[in-house]
Amino acid sequence: MTRHPSRYSAVAIALHWLIAVAILSMIPMGWWMSDAIAQPDTQALAYRVFQIHKSIGFLILALTVLRIVWRLTHPVPALPGAMKGWEQFAARATHAAFYALMLALPLTGWIYVSTGWAVVTDTPLAVATSWFGLFTIPHLPFIEHASEAARRATAWMAMGAHSKLAWGAIVLVVLHVGAALKHQFFDRDGVLSHMIPVLPHGDDSHGLAPEPTPALRWAERLAGVAFVVVIGAAFGLAAKPVPKPAPKAEGQALASAPAAASAADAAVTPGTAAAWTVDKAASTIQFTGTHTGKAFTGRFEQWDAQVWFDPADLAGSKAVVTVQTGSAKTGDATQEGSLPGAEWFDTATYPTARFQATAFKALGGNRYEATGTLRIKTTTISVVLPFTFDEANGTATVAGKLELDRTALNMGMLSDAGGDWVSKAVGVEIKVKATQAG
């Protein structure tokens, strides 16, 4: 006979209640945010709740794996001998179903977010996943890099399975709680004390239930897992998106943009005006906008600048700034994880952006205007940067602002071409301190 403890270990109890609280918080959270994300008044809050929901989901996945390992390596209390055979079978099958659900729910959620597709709007929506803002959790690569049609179909199936598995979890929770209360207040056999040590052990006059045979144990496990698999597979296969109309010509042209890296920027020919050495520790390149209705400010932490400027020699003045786009920081881990993506900066293919000013104009006093080009990925646009220039004892301070239309730069055009999530207008502000070379 296997020796059984009178209650679960402290680790098992802690894992049980941590996972229970996490699951119970996820259900109302999921219901609310699914509707709130489509409402302008609650969109910003719903976005943040989505990030919390994903973080808790991955926490449940990690705790469940730990709990399964602990369960397989530590004995558990035996069931009361007064329980009928079918009750014992149902109890163990329900436990197996719970383990399967605690794996299936976060895994289907992980599959869904990896598709980069929002089923609510049936449009692409590439959003990175950060665990409570501490670090980024990668998307599943075999899904993330699939075709748009495959990602869309997978998103619908994953969400169909995910939502119905959530209902399955509700059913199991109700059954589990109901059975626990029955044992505590009607059978008085002390089963609930296995997981709540402060409760009395109860009446054990009937002894303990016999240990199931290996065949029966596997039958119980398979019954529980089959319950989850059937629900997930059935509703996943049933959740098929409505066929979409053929894309317009411009959309097709956008989708066929070359994936290879752009040709190297032309070498910089020095200007004839005075050269300046930028103090990057005292200089910043910032960008601003709104995300889900909330203002954000970001900065680039890695960039280089070559500057030749003299108010008395504007014709010979020039400035070239090369920015490492992967160094963009906003203070929001989800935003920072999304910006390097293919439809934003696509840092894996185009690691730099480049601004080159080739014409300068005096506007009076310390005010000037630089005209040049800005390249991000394969798109180059003309820009005008108004700025101020002040010099004292060989040290110059420069401050300038301009506003860019991200849609003109092919930024976020798959997920948010209309500016529903991220503002189309993005402000750029530079503050530079430099010393005259030599």
Side-chain angles (χ1 to χ4, degrees):
M1 295 292 290
T2 302
R3 184 176 180 85
H4 292 277
S6 60
R7 58 172 56 97
Y8 286 95
S9 66
V11 173
I13 293 173
L15 289 172
H16 172 275
W17 290 112
L18 282 173
I19 295 174
V21 170
I23 290 176
L24 292 176
S25 71
M26 292 283 272
I27 294 171
M29 193 185 304
W31 281 337
W32 178 82
M33 69 187 190
S34 297
D35 294 328
I37 200 70
Q39 306 300 322
D41 294 342
T42 55
Q43 188 181 65
L45 178 59
Y47 164 79
R48 291 192 288 275
V49 172
F50 257 107
Q51 311 318 313
I52 296 173
H53 188 85
K54 291 191 290 183
S55 296
I56 295 177
F58 280 105
L59 176 62
I60 291 174
L61 180 60
L63 291 176
T64 299
V65 172
L66 179 59
R67 185 176 177 186
I68 291 174
V69 172
W70 190 267
R71 172 67 179 82
L72 294 175
T73 55
H74 292 75
V76 298
L79 296 175
M83 289 182 67
K84 299 179 178 63
W86 70 267
E87 289 180 313
Q88 297 176 30
F89 184 93
R92 295 188 177 103
T94 300
H95 274 89
F98 260 123
Y99 285 122
L101 267 174
M102 291 185 297
L103 293 174
L105 274 168
L107 286 174
T108 52
W110 195 1
I111 292 171
Y112 174 67
V113 300
S114 296
T115 64
W117 197 275
V119 298
V120 174
T121 57
D122 199 16
T123 57
L125 184 61
V127 178
T129 298
S130 62
W131 194 74
F132 293 109
L134 299 177
F135 55 85
T136 299
I137 295 177
H139 291 163
L140 299 170
F142 59 92
I143 296 175
E144 184 180 28
H145 302 308
S147 66
E148 180 178 300
R151 289 188 294 107
R152 179 172 181 253
T154 302
W156 279 86
M157 288 190 292
M159 182 49 65
H162 189 75
S163 60
K164 295 307 181 289
L165 287 174
W167 279 105
I170 294 173
V171 171
L172 285 183
V173 167
V174 172
L175 290 175
H176 187 62
V177 172
L181 295 177
K182 171 183 175 295
H183 282 286
Q184 179 67 19
F185 296 106
F186 291 93
D187 300 336
R188 300 182 183 278
D189 51 21
V191 167
L192 196 56
S193 69
H194 295 167
M195 196 55 72
I196 306 179
V198 296
L199 295 177
H201 286 294
D203 179 16
D204 58 356
S205 59
H206 293 87
L208 302 177
E211 191 74 14
T213 64
L216 180 59
R217 187 179 294 279
W218 278 108
E220 293 165 346
R221 293 169 178 169
L222 290 174
V225 173
F227 170 79
V228 174
V229 171
V230 169
I231 290 178
F235 287 97
L237 293 173
K240 295 181 179 179
V242 176
K244 295 186 73 173
K248 297 180 181 180
E250 54 260 332
Q252 293 174 340
L254 180 61
S256 62
S262 61
D265 292 312
V268 178
T269 302
T272 58
W276 295 83
T277 301
V278 174
D279 181 359
K280 288 191 289 184
S283 306
T284 58
I285 300 178
Q286 293 185 329
F287 54 93
T288 59
T290 60
H291 180 211
T292 62
K294 183 180 178 181
F296 68 85
T297 299
R299 68 189 185 281
F300 292 104
E301 295 191 334
Q302 297 178 25
W303 51 276
D304 292 295
Q306 298 171 276
V307 180
W308 298 266
F309 183 78
D310 187 343
D313 185 14
L314 294 180
S317 298
K318 179 182 289 189
V320 177
V321 181
T322 302
V323 176
Q324 301 292 326
T325 52
S327 68
K329 302 295 181 183
T330 65
D332 184 304
T334 304
Q335 294 172 354
E336 292 174 4
S338 301
L339 286 174
E343 66 171 302
W344 294 96
F345 283 121
D346 194 5
T347 56
T349 309
Y350 313 103
T352 64
R354 174 162 146 159
F355 168 73
Q356 180 166 336
T358 54
F360 292 82
K361 178 181 178 181
L363 301 179
N366 66 343
R367 297 182 302 115
Y368 298 87
E369 187 178 83
T371 301
T373 58
L374 173 65
R375 177 196 57 76
I376 296 180
K377 296 187 289 190
T378 58
T379 303
T380 300
I381 61 172
S382 298
V383 294
V384 176
L385 172 66
F387 67 94
T388 58
F389 175 85
D390 296 285
E391 180 187 1
N393 301 320
T395 299
T397 55
V398 177
K401 292 182 181 180
L402 76 159
E403 188 174 273
L404 301 172
D405 179 359
R406 66 170 177 81
T407 62
L409 289 162
N410 187 21
M411 299 280 288
M413 294 302 290
L414 291 177
S415 296
D416 192 26
D420 298 324
W421 295 91
V422 180
S423 56
K424 290 184 178 181
V426 176
V428 178
E429 180 177 359
I430 64 166
K431 293 181 180 180
V432 176
K433 182 178 181 180
T435 56
Q436 191 166 343

